Amino acid sequence: MTSRLNNDYCVILAGGKGRRLWPCSRAERPKQFIDFFGFGRTQLQQTFDRIAQILPKEHIFINTNELYVDLVKEQLPDISDDRIMAEPIHRNTAPSVAWACHRIAHLCPNANLLVTPSDQAVNNERAFFQNIEEGFEFVQDNDGLLTLGVKPTRPEPGYGYIQLGDEATHDIYKVKSFTEKPEREFAKMFLDSGEFYWNTGMFLARTSYLRECFYNFLPSILRVFDRDHADWTIAEENEFIRANFPSYPNISIDYGILEKSERVFVLKGDFGWADLGTWHSIYEAMMRSETDNVVIDSEVMLDDAHNNVIKLPKGKFAVINGLDGYIVAEGENVLLICKKEDSSSLVRKYVNEVQIRKGDEYI
């Protein structure tokens, strides 16, 4: 156990723009850097705190964008500079994980890697830690990619789903298929079948195996670097990434690697998980009042209002009458009031339109 622990690492993905939670999540300070729920810790800090209970702090890396480096340092002062991996432009998660895999494998050739987003809730940490321990043991001994799945509690169209195939070992199954954000009717069928688990976006793999997967998919950018720099430094790698990172495709790790791999598995987790990346998912995940409203760290008086999610700045007070099924969110200089159902696409549309009409000041 002790020898394996020395090989266990984690990268927290914290470079996203967070636009699905606009206008509270803004370009200069996205959702992962906000104490969104009034807990006293931001989503990034809560994720780091959780992982730091099972791994040494020096084994935790933060992947982010150059725009957010100062925020990372401010919120995680114990993280050293060589554990912050700052991308020069926004890309999706496949290039981010490829770079983290490259650096960590250089430091520890036998490393096992946990990849986790920074915007998730875990209610049962003891069960989560046990699942992560099981996951690390599995990937150390097996070639494969191990996703963390959670048994669905409702037909949620905002999550991805993993279909279980044959059992590989206790609570670990071959993945039969991935489905990204199905229609509600399909989500209900998935729930009723018992074969589908929510895709948490967390996964584990041995870095040596994960690098082989990237070799078969991503451009050979880092292989060229390794060929030309037999014994590179962190500074040299950073400089190379700054110049060459834009050559990577803008593609997710799920689509680019997990859904194309023949050796991908799912561990059946049971740790009270929720994605906190969208207004709708926050509404579904949080405790509701008797009128089915979710009020997030805000002062509100509600009258004949139902099924709403409300988030206002400190010092603001709202009286809301007659609304049913809406998002009411204010952040800095923007007030958003829109229908809650399937809000992610709506919010993205409004962000794009506002940016075109009014400029970056409102984004």
Side-chain angles (χ1 to χ4, degrees):
M1 166 65 182
T2 304
S3 61
R4 204 220 61 228
L5 181 61
N6 293 333
N7 294 337
D8 293 347
Y9 287 77
C10 174
V11 58
I12 300 173
L13 303 178
K17 297 178 182 178
R19 287 187 167 178
R20 293 177 299 169
L21 284 181
W22 180 84
C24 297
S25 175
R26 303 299 283 267
E28 292 187 355
R29 188 178 286 262
K31 61 188 177 186
Q32 61 267 29
F33 303 109
I34 299 172
D35 179 14
F36 197 85
F37 301 96
F39 294 154
R41 300 286 278 176
T42 68
Q43 292 187 355
L44 172 62
Q45 289 172 320
Q46 290 179 68
T47 303
F48 180 84
D49 293 346
R50 186 181 310 125
I51 301 302
Q53 294 183 62
I54 52 174
L55 293 181
K57 290 181 179 180
E58 60 271 19
H59 284 206
I60 304 173
F61 289 70
I62 311 297
N63 174 271
T64 190
N65 186 273
E66 287 182 352
L67 296 172
Y68 309 138
V69 169
D70 289 343
L71 288 172
V72 173
K73 289 182 176 181
E74 170 192 318
Q75 295 186 7
L76 300 177
D78 293 340
I79 287 280
S80 61
D81 288 352
D82 60 356
R83 265 53 181 171
I84 300 173
M85 308 181 68
E87 300 170 356
I89 63 170
H90 283 97
R91 281 286 183 264
N92 214 315
T93 51
S96 306
V97 176
W99 183 19
C101 185
H102 181 261
R103 178 171 296 185
I104 291 168
H106 181 69
L107 297 171
C108 177
N110 298 318
N112 309 306
L113 179 62
L114 164 66
V115 178
T116 178
S118 57
D119 58 353
Q120 302 188 337
V122 170
N123 294 327
N124 187 339
E125 289 194 336
R126 179 176 294 181
F128 174 74
F129 298 154
Q130 182 176 339
N131 285 154
I132 295 300
E133 168 68 18
E134 293 168 359
F136 273 132
E137 288 182 359
F138 180 81
V139 298
Q140 176 172 263
D141 298 332
N142 294 274
D143 285 344
L145 309 170
L146 179 64
T147 61
L148 265 63
V150 171
K151 189 176 179 63
T153 57
R154 60 182 186 274
E156 173 57 62
Y159 290 170
Y161 287 75
I162 300 171
Q163 184 180 17
L164 275 59
D166 296 333
E167 187 171 14
T169 183
H170 177 66
D171 279 344
I172 294 177
Y173 293 75
K174 287 275 288 183
V175 169
K176 195 170 183 179
S177 69
F178 288 91
T179 303
E180 184 64 21
K181 297 184 175 116
E183 296 291 334
R184 189 172 294 276
E185 293 76 20
F186 282 106
K188 188 175 188 314
M189 289 170 54
F190 291 170
L191 178 68
D192 293 342
S193 77
E195 293 181 24
F196 290 80
Y197 273 54
W198 281 336
N199 184 358
T200 66
M202 291 182 273
F203 78 94
L204 302 97
R206 205 169 59 250
T207 53
S208 57
Y209 180 78
L210 186 54
R211 290 183 79 177
E212 289 180 21
C213 296
F214 282 122
Y215 288 165
N216 296 326
F217 167 67
L218 287 179
S220 58
I221 295 171
L222 288 167
R223 274 176 288 165
V224 171
F225 175 72
D226 288 337
R227 183 193 67 201
D228 297 341
H229 301 77
D231 188 20
W232 50 267
T233 65
I234 297 294
E236 288 172 333
E237 186 203 37
N238 282 336
E239 183 180 348
F240 183 86
I241 285 289
R242 204 166 290 119
N244 293 276
F245 196 79
S247 300
Y248 275 131
N250 187 25
I251 197 165
S252 72
I253 189 74
D254 285 47
Y255 180 76
I257 299 294
L258 294 175
E259 295 180 22
K260 291 179 168 57
S261 173
E262 294 182 358
R263 293 194 57 79
V264 58
F265 302 85
V266 56
L267 187 155
K268 293 168 61 173
D270 184 19
F271 44 82
W273 170 87
D275 173 14
L276 303 177
T278 70
W279 291 112
H280 180 75
S281 63
I282 286 173
Y283 175 83
E284 293 289 349
M286 289 192 67
M287 188 72 69
R288 302 172 205 166
S289 67
E290 293 180 0
T291 52
D292 279 337
N293 293 294
V294 168
V295 180
I296 306 169
D297 195 30
S298 304
E299 291 288 327
V300 181
M301 186 170 76
L302 299 168
D303 178 44
D304 190 27
H306 307 272
N307 308 307
N308 303 296
V309 55
I310 301 159
K311 169 70 173 170
L312 302 174
K314 291 293 185 185
K316 293 290 182 77
F317 181 80
V319 178
I320 297 175
N321 165 266
L323 283 188
D324 190 334
Y326 276 79
I327 301 164
V328 180
E330 182 179 349
E332 298 179 30
N333 53 358
V334 175
L335 171 65
L336 172 71
I337 303 173
C338 81
K339 290 292 287 183
K340 171 169 55 64
E341 289 299 327
D342 303 321
S343 59
S344 293
S345 58
L346 265 181
V347 171
R348 279 186 173 138
K349 184 183 90 159
Y350 296 145
V351 167
N352 292 333
E353 290 183 5
V354 168
Q355 192 166 27
I356 291 168
R357 294 187 189 185
K358 304 292 289 183
D360 292 341
E361 178 186 354
Y362 295 91
I363 305 302

